[in-house]
Amino acid sequence: MAKVVVIKFLRGCKPYYFSAGNLSLEEGQGVIVETARGLEYAVVVNPEREVSDKEIVSPLKPVVRIATEKDVAAMERGKERRAEALSVCKEKIKKRGLEMKLIDCEFAFDGSKVIFYFTSEGRVDFRDLVKDLASVFHIRIELRQVGIRDETKLLGGIAPCGRECCCAGCMPDFKKVSIKMAKNQGLSLNPGKISGLCGRLMCCLAYENDYYADAYKKMPKLGSTVGTPEGKGTVISQNMLKMEVRVKIEKGDGLCYRDFPLTEIKFKRGNDAEESDDEKNSAD
């Protein structure tokens, strides 16, 4: 076990481990850390935590220093320049007639470079665009093409559930999501109902998939014939939270519908059909 300080950067919600060294840190405190991109501003979310050695990427880098007022001012200047940079870049893209959609930008903490994020259906030759932007900002220019899921993560938004998109608010990394997860949970396979703002399958389908995948295996299939305390009937719906099955039973000249606990249902197991190719496709 090793003691680490847990920090998060202002963009994103993924936690990172650093060594506090001799610094006395507090939750919510701003700090300066060194990354592959240079010095960056971050916020302490846990000043002291014990983690296993397997969770640490060696070597464990130390926190450089506690952020000063000057550091905070530098970070704020970068934020203030963002709107202007986006406006200039959009103008240059339009002038060059490039097939790309500008998403966002950010200035490095030390002001040495600016990174522009964009999406495009194909490859884009943006060498001339880089020259145009460099002549305006006089710093290093980087353009990064991102995917459609990354676009939603960067821009954020309100998901169909009414909360902030998971990828933008609380999910450190993208999860692998497949149509089989929606089927396991008994959800409508209508793409419009199980897709997020990005147009891909909603990330939250993976949250409870282990439970639903196990429950799905225990349930009789929809449309199958099962035995009940009131006779044979046809399964018309499943409730995997209550582990109940709704069965349609023929009685005389009419039909009746009953809910039975799974323990009272008799049916054959192990005859599940093979997963179709569509169900194997993931959202990645």
Side-chain angles (χ1 to χ4, degrees), residues 233-252:
T234 303
V235 177
I236 61 170
S237 68
Q238 306 160 326
N239 188 326
M240 283 178 276
L241 291 177
K242 294 183 177 180
M243 295 304 286
E244 291 182 349
V245 177
R246 176 160 292 185
V247 181
K248 178 177 68 175
I249 304 173
E250 295 185 9
K251 287 193 175 181

Side-chain angles (χ1 to χ4, degrees), residues 164-179:
E164 182 182 20
C165 292
C166 295
C167 59
C170 64
M171 195 173 68
D173 297 300
F174 288 117
K175 298 185 180 223
K176 187 175 181 180
V177 189
S178 70
I179 197 70

Side-chain angles (χ1 to χ4, degrees), residues 46-275:
N46 192 325
E48 187 175 343
R49 178 190 293 180
E50 286 192 352
V51 297
S52 65
D53 295 334
K54 294 181 180 179
E55 296 182 60
I56 297 175
V57 178
S58 298
L60 186 64
K61 292 186 177 182
V63 173
V64 176
R65 65 176 184 271
I66 296 174
T68 63
E69 292 183 2
K70 185 176 180 181
D71 293 327
V72 175
M75 178 195 65
E76 293 297 334
R77 282 197 300 272
K79 288 183 178 180
E80 292 171 359
R81 298 178 67 187
R82 177 178 167 274
E84 178 190 359
L86 287 173
S87 178
V88 170
C89 189
K90 287 179 181 179
E91 180 184 343
K92 299 297 183 183
I93 290 173
K94 185 177 180 179
K95 184 177 179 180
R96 291 284 180 183
L98 298 175
E99 295 295 328
M100 55 193 293
K101 178 184 176 183
L102 184 64
I103 300 302
D104 202 358
C105 78
E106 64 174 325
F107 283 83
F109 172 73
D110 59 4
S112 62
K113 67 178 178 180
V114 56
I115 305 170
F116 293 93
Y117 300 93
F118 71 94
T119 60
S120 176
E121 294 183 0
R123 294 177 64 88
V124 180
D125 185 354
F126 48 70
R127 288 174 293 182
D128 290 334
L129 176 61
V130 171
K131 294 177 182 177
D132 292 342
L133 295 172
S135 67
V136 175
F137 297 104
H138 304 290
I139 55 176
R140 182 181 172 188
I141 305 294
E142 286 189 19
L143 275 84
R144 295 184 183 177
Q145 185 171 355
V146 299
I148 191 169
R149 299 180 84 190
D150 297 285
E151 177 183 355
T152 303
K153 183 180 180 68
L154 286 169
L155 297 179
I158 304 300
C161 63
R163 296 174 60 90
E164 182 182 20
C165 292
C166 295
C167 59
C170 64
M171 195 173 68
D173 297 300
F174 288 117
K175 298 185 180 223
K176 187 175 181 180
V177 189
S178 70
I179 197 70
K180 184 64 182 289
M181 294 179 179
K183 185 176 180 181
N184 287 345
Q185 298 175 42
L187 300 176
S188 167
L189 299 185
N190 182 341
K193 294 185 177 181
I194 57 176
S195 299
L197 298 185
C198 61
R200 302 293 180 87
L201 293 173
M202 293 188 292
C203 296
C204 57
L205 292 175
Y207 291 170
E208 298 175 343
N209 183 63
D210 290 343
Y211 169 81
Y212 280 105
D214 182 62
Y216 182 78
K217 294 177 182 178
K218 298 176 181 178
M219 287 283 184
K221 285 188 171 184
L222 294 176
S224 63
T225 301
V226 296
T228 75
E230 298 184 22
K232 289 187 176 181
T234 303
V235 177
I236 61 170
S237 68
Q238 306 160 326
N239 188 326
M240 283 178 276
L241 291 177
K242 294 183 177 180
M243 295 304 286
E244 291 182 349
V245 177
R246 176 160 292 185
V247 181
K248 178 177 68 175
I249 304 173
E250 295 185 9
K251 287 193 175 181
D253 296 333
L255 298 172
C256 68
Y257 298 86
R258 296 284 188 272
D259 292 333
F260 296 97
L262 187 62
T263 53
E264 297 181 6
I265 298 294
K266 294 181 180 180
F267 62 98
K268 291 183 179 180
R269 302 177 187 271
N271 294 324
D272 290 341
E274 291 185 359
E275 183 180 32

